[in-house]
Amino acid sequence: MTFRTRLLLIFALAVTAAVGMVELIVSSRARRAFENMEARRVDAIVAQFDKEFHRRGEEIVRTVEVIADSAVAREIAITPDPSAYLSEAGTLASTNRLDLLELVAGDGAIVSSAQWQARFGYKEEWLLGEPDWQSHAAFLRREELPDAVTLALVAVRTVSVGDMKLYVAGGRVLDREFIASLVAPQGMRVLLYRNLAPDRNLAPDRNLAPAFSPPDLIDASGPVAAATQLRPLVEQVEKQKSDALGTIGTGASAETFHALPLKGSDNDVLGVLLIGNSRRDLVELEASMLRTAVIVAVTGILMAIVLSWWATARITRPVQRLAESAGRVAAGNWGATVEVATNDEIGQLARAFNRMTHELVEQRERLVQAERVAAWRELARRLAHELKNPLFPLQITVENMQRARDSYPEQFDEVFREGTSTLLAELSNLKQIIGRFSDFAKMPAPEMQPVNFNELVTETMRLFEAQLAKENIRASAQLDPALRPVYADAEQMTRALRNLVLNAIDAMPEGGTLTVRTSAAGAGMRLEVSDTGQGLTPEECERLFTPYYTTKTHGTGLGLAIVQSVVSDHKGRIAVDSEKGKGTTFRIDLG
């Protein structure tokens, strides 16, 4: 990835991250503000509901008290035959604008019922359970009608005349008229759930019936559409007998509902007040903020493109010129320089690069001269060392021949024969030394052709069988059968392998194990030669491939240098792993 691309990505990511963070924070705060406003509006509607509920309750209490204090109520309380007043409750309810009214005798028997005249004589046991109805406020109660069940706000008062008692129970139904009296802000609505499904096994003042009835969920205009969506919320309130919060719908059509239980005198849930708040405004606000964020992000990315282009024009072009100059230096042109056009950090870097290349050229010249002198010195030292050994016996032999001729003529022929033999042997040794130096100097270019290294290793190991047996060395060839032929110079690689094998034999004067391995390595191959000999120190490993360097008592130091030269000409790599006292492994990678 280029610097320009990375710079563009950094700018784009920075702008996107910043815009995303701002959008997240603003959305979070907007949502929190919306929820706070929603809570305040719900509290306002709940307060309005409580106020209207208590107002109507007090109004019902006053109306029932007026009826209880009337002469008609006292007459009914003392009359021995209440059947004459069978329709009186209907008249009183109509006159006092009550939806429900029942006049009940002291023993709990209904004397007159405005909502269900056929219940004359039925017992209202629940009235007998309260000792003091006179101080009791209005309360919610499920009331049975001839064809349904309704939820009403009811008040009870008693009429006492001597030992006679009459209960006056009157109330008004909680219906859509009650809901319409509540003023909800725009975007909010108030619903009332009353389970009006007939259930003869359910006492009128107990909890909601088990079955959810969608028609019993009403608002100011009547039954609510899609009422079943609110069923889980209603059932949760009925089960927990506490407030609940839930959201129905998705997107702009979603609504958050606060559900409050409406409890009767025994703290049983008889209905549920639901206050819905549309989330359209919040969704539209969030969508608007998201659109704005996208526009800002796109604008920012476009600006990032412009900025990255400008920045790369100021930064990457000089850096690219520096990279090109560095590439020329790496290719061997140590005198390459770069044009300095600015005084900023890039300009300082360019000047430092030019100084570096100038110093590199100077140091290279000094290094070449020093290496040349060192190489000649090392060559002279090595030649002197190698030639000194055979020259000494040559000198002694010639001197012996001279003394024999001058002092012992009769023995000269015998001394001459021994001396010439010694001279020829030492001259052969000198020729061999000079040949090794000549071979290293005249290393030919490799002739590449497919080479089966498994066969090459097998043939080489066969040549050393006698010497390995003599040196008490066990040989092992671990050849990869899947190894494919690799392009190489078979003669030069054989020579390199022989040098490595001879080096391993010399490292095990007391015997050991020699292991040669081949293995496939990608499109090429790996050749390893391991011994269990004396091993090398890290310092010796670093200098091991230096020409004329040797760790042996006798040797020219050219064997491993030749191996490295062959591997280098094959564009391969050679490495050594060794541990003092445990052995050495030479590793060649080709291909």
Side-chain angles (χ1 to χ4, degrees):
M1 185 182 294
T2 64
F3 177 75
R4 175 177 296 182
T5 304
R6 286 198 299 270
L7 195 62
L8 173 60
L9 288 177
I10 291 172
F11 281 153
L13 288 175
V15 171
T16 304
V19 172
M21 185 66 68
V22 171
E23 199 277 335
L24 182 64
I25 293 173
V26 172
S27 295
S28 176
R29 292 185 175 179
R31 189 177 295 108
R32 201 157 46 239
F34 180 85
E35 290 172 353
N36 292 336
M37 180 181 68
E38 178 184 288
R40 290 194 297 270
R41 294 166 72 179
V42 168
D43 290 342
I45 293 179
V46 171
Q48 187 182 165
F49 173 84
D50 289 341
K51 183 178 179 180
E52 180 65 17
F53 186 87
H54 286 95
R55 186 192 69 78
R56 293 198 176 201
E58 292 174 355
E59 182 178 323
I60 293 171
V61 168
R62 288 194 299 269
T63 302
V64 171
E65 287 178 347
V66 169
I67 295 174
D69 291 339
S70 67
V72 174
R74 287 194 297 272
E75 289 178 6
I76 295 174
I78 62 175
T79 183
D81 183 15
S83 60
Y85 298 96
L86 182 61
S87 62
E88 191 64 34
T91 304
L92 291 173
S94 176
T95 304
N96 293 278
R97 293 185 301 172
L98 291 177
D99 299 321
L100 308 171
L101 181 64
E102 284 187 339
L103 305 177
V104 181
D107 60 355
I110 297 177
V111 175
S112 178
S113 174
Q115 62 270 23
W116 196 349
Q117 290 186 0
R119 295 192 68 192
F120 174 79
Y122 277 60
K123 295 286 187 176
E124 292 283 14
E125 301 290 347
W126 63 274
L127 288 171
L128 306 179
E130 175 61 45
D132 184 17
W133 283 112
Q134 297 301 105
S135 60
H136 205 291
F139 57 93
L140 282 178
R141 173 176 165 75
R142 284 169 54 89
E143 286 288 345
E144 291 191 58
L145 302 178
D147 56 353
V149 179
T150 189
L151 184 63
L153 185 57
V154 176
V156 179
R157 288 295 184 265
T158 59
V159 180
S160 298
V161 181
D163 295 334
M164 307 301 291
K165 181 182 290 187
L166 178 71
Y167 295 96
V168 180
R172 292 180 182 170
V173 175
L174 260 65
D175 55 11
R176 62 186 185 182
E177 183 272 333
F178 180 84
I179 299 300
S181 67
L182 303 178
V183 180
Q186 184 177 2
M188 299 188 73
R189 58 175 176 159
V190 181
L191 311 179
L192 177 64
Y193 179 73
R194 310 167 303 162
N195 195 323
L196 306 182
D199 187 357
R200 300 304 179 189
N201 296 321
L202 186 68
D205 57 348
R206 309 313 290 172
N207 279 3
L208 297 177
F212 178 84
S213 177
D216 295 343
L217 181 65
I218 62 171
D219 59 12
S221 59
V224 177
T228 52
Q229 294 181 351
L230 290 166
R231 176 175 182 171
L233 192 60
V234 171
E235 291 178 346
Q236 179 182 351
V237 173
E238 189 275 336
K239 180 179 180 181
Q240 298 178 354
K241 299 184 180 181
S242 61
D243 297 358
L245 180 68
T247 300
I248 64 169
T250 58
S253 62
E255 277 186 285
T256 299
F257 278 91
H258 295 256
L260 295 86
L262 302 180
K263 300 179 181 180
S265 59
D266 292 333
N267 203 35
D268 293 315
V269 179
L270 304 180
V272 179
L273 180 70
L274 299 108
I275 303 173
N277 187 25
S278 174
R279 301 184 67 86
R280 178 179 299 276
D281 292 341
L282 177 61
V283 172
E284 292 178 351
L285 177 61
E286 289 180 338
S288 176
M289 289 190 293
L290 181 60
R291 288 193 298 271
T292 303
V294 170
I295 294 173
V296 172
V298 171
T299 304
I301 292 173
L302 293 176
M303 292 179 62
I305 294 174
V306 175
L307 287 174
S308 64
W309 178 85
W310 176 82
T312 52
R314 298 280 298 176
I315 299 174
T316 59
R317 289 179 185 174
V319 172
Q320 186 176 4
R321 288 196 291 268
L322 280 170
E324 292 172 353
S325 299
R328 291 197 294 271
V329 172
N333 183 11
W334 288 26
T337 59
V338 64
E339 181 182 353
V340 180
T342 61
N343 293 321
D344 55 11
E345 291 82 354
I346 301 297
Q348 294 175 6
L349 179 61
R351 282 188 287 272
F353 179 85
N354 292 338
R355 286 196 302 271
M356 179 192 71
T357 56
H358 179 70
E359 293 174 359
L360 281 175
V361 171
E362 294 180 350
Q363 290 179 5
R364 182 188 183 190
E365 293 176 353
R366 291 194 295 268
L367 182 62
V368 169
Q369 294 176 2
E371 287 181 346
R372 187 180 295 117
V373 172
W376 280 111
R377 286 178 178 174
E378 181 63 22
L379 179 59
R381 185 189 69 79
R382 183 58 61 182
L383 283 171
H385 175 76
E386 294 294 331
L387 296 177
K388 181 180 179 180
N389 292 332
L391 286 177
F392 181 72
L394 286 174
Q395 180 181 356
I396 295 299
T397 301
V398 172
E399 289 177 352
N400 288 337
M401 291 173 65
Q402 288 177 343
R403 282 195 299 270
R405 192 188 63 176
D406 295 338
S407 303
Y408 310 100
E410 67 282 1
Q411 298 179 359
F412 177 74
D413 290 339
E414 183 180 354
V415 173
F416 180 77
R417 285 193 300 273
E418 293 178 356
T420 54
S421 177
T422 302
L423 288 174
L424 288 174
E426 294 301 329
L427 287 173
S428 177
N429 190 18
L430 279 173
K431 184 178 179 181
Q432 186 178 7
I433 293 172
I434 293 171
R436 287 198 296 269
F437 278 93
S438 177
D439 288 344
F440 181 69
K442 296 187 299 181
M443 187 73 66
E447 297 181 4
M448 310 299 281
Q449 59 183 350
V451 175
N452 188 323
F453 273 83
N454 287 343
E455 295 179 357
L456 186 148
V457 170
T458 302
E459 293 173 1
T460 303
M461 296 299 288
R462 187 179 300 116
L463 292 175
F464 287 95
E465 284 180 355
Q467 185 176 355
L468 292 170
K470 181 180 178 182
E471 299 290 342
N472 193 26
I473 296 174
R474 295 183 302 276
S476 172
Q478 301 176 3
L479 307 179
D480 184 357
L483 184 64
R484 298 180 179 179
V486 177
Y487 275 88
D489 188 312
E491 182 179 350
Q492 291 189 15
M493 292 307 301
T494 301
R495 184 178 181 185
L497 179 58
R498 288 177 181 176
N499 279 337
L500 291 177
V501 172
L502 287 172
N503 192 73
I505 292 173
D506 291 340
M508 297 182 288
E510 299 179 359
T513 301
L514 170 67
T515 304
V516 181
R517 303 181 189 88
T518 62
S519 60
M525 59 83 60
R526 170 170 288 182
L527 174 66
E528 293 180 333
V529 179
S530 302
D531 64 65
T532 58
Q534 301 168 354
L536 303 168
T537 65
E539 294 77 12
E540 290 172 336
C541 290
E542 290 181 1
R543 301 185 59 192
L544 201 57
F545 298 105
T546 304
Y548 316 118
Y549 174 78
T550 180
T551 60
K552 306 172 186 176
T553 305
H554 302 287
T556 61
L558 293 176
L560 292 178
I562 291 173
V563 174
Q564 186 186 44
S565 177
V566 170
V567 173
S568 177
D569 289 343
H570 282 73
K571 309 299 181 184
R573 297 182 301 277
I574 184 170
V576 59
D577 292 329
S578 184
E579 187 174 349
K580 196 68 176 177
K582 293 188 177 181
T584 303
T585 297
F586 287 91
R587 186 180 300 107
I588 296 175
D589 290 318
L590 296 180

